Amino acid sequence: RDGDAGPGTPCPSTTTSDTTAAQQGWTPMQWHDRLEEIRDTTGDPDDSLDEVPYTLVRAVKIIHENLEHIRTVADVCVRVPCSESLLRQMFDEHHDVSPGVYIQMLRVQRACDTLRCVPGATLEGTARAVGYRHKETMIRAFKRILGVTPGRYVRECRVRGGVMLVG
C-alpha cells in the first residue's frame, strides 16, 4: 500500500490500529479512499464473500447504517453479535485499522459531506447527525483527523469550489 499521496492512491498500511489517519500522515483524500476501500471489500452481508468474514461484513454495514446511534465499539458488537476482541482482530487483519478509528473517520467524513453539501448546516446539528453528542467533540475529531477545524474546512471548501484536499 505504499505509494504517492495522490488521489486514488491506496493509503499506507497502519502500524498500530489505534492511530488516526492524521497521526499516520494520511491526507483526507487517502483516508476517504481507505473508508471506501473497506466498504467495497466488505460488500453486502447478503453476498457470499469467502475472503472476508461474515461478522466483519455485518459490522461494517451496521456501522454505516447506524452511525448516529453508535457510541462505542461495544454498541456494534451487541448488534452483530460478537466480542469486541474478535471485532478488533478482524478489522486489524482485514483493514489495518481498529473499529474505533474506522467509526471516527466515518463520522468526520459524513460531517464533511454535510457541512459541504447541506446549505445552512450547523455544527451542533451536524455533530448530532453523525453520532457526536456535542459539537466540541466533533471539532476535536476534525482537528485530530484532518488537522483543521470544521469552520476552516467549510471556508476552504468555498474557496476551492466545494472540494478541500488538505495535507
Side-chain angles (χ1 to χ4, degrees), residues 46-157:
D46 299 328
D47 294 341
S48 171
L49 296 171
D50 295 330
E51 64 276 357
V52 180
Y54 175 82
T55 302
L56 180 58
V57 172
R58 180 131 171 78
V60 170
K61 183 174 183 174
I62 286 169
I63 291 168
H64 278 259
E65 292 177 354
N66 300 283
L67 187 63
E68 68 277 7
H69 303 292
I70 292 171
R71 299 285 176 230
T72 65
V73 173
D75 294 337
V76 177
C77 293
V78 167
R79 293 173 181 179
V80 170
C82 74
S83 70
E84 288 184 53
S85 61
L86 176 62
L87 187 62
R88 283 188 176 96
Q89 179 185 0
M90 287 187 296
F91 259 87
D92 189 48
E93 183 178 319
H94 291 275
H95 302 309
D96 294 327
V97 295
S98 71
V101 168
Y102 181 77
I103 291 167
Q104 291 173 24
M105 291 169 60
L106 184 59
R107 280 194 176 123
V108 170
Q109 178 191 30
R110 287 201 182 162
C112 287
D113 293 344
T114 300
L115 292 170
R116 189 178 62 246
C117 300
V118 177
T122 65
L123 291 181
E124 192 70 43
T126 300
R128 275 185 267 116
V130 300
Y132 293 109
R133 291 184 181 171
H134 307 284
K135 69 179 180 184
E136 292 81 10
T137 307
M138 183 180 76
I139 292 168
R140 283 192 303 272
F142 253 80
K143 288 179 183 177
R144 185 177 59 252
I145 293 172
L146 290 179
V148 297
T149 64
R152 177 166 170 221
Y153 176 83
V154 171
R155 284 189 301 278
E156 290 289 326
C157 282

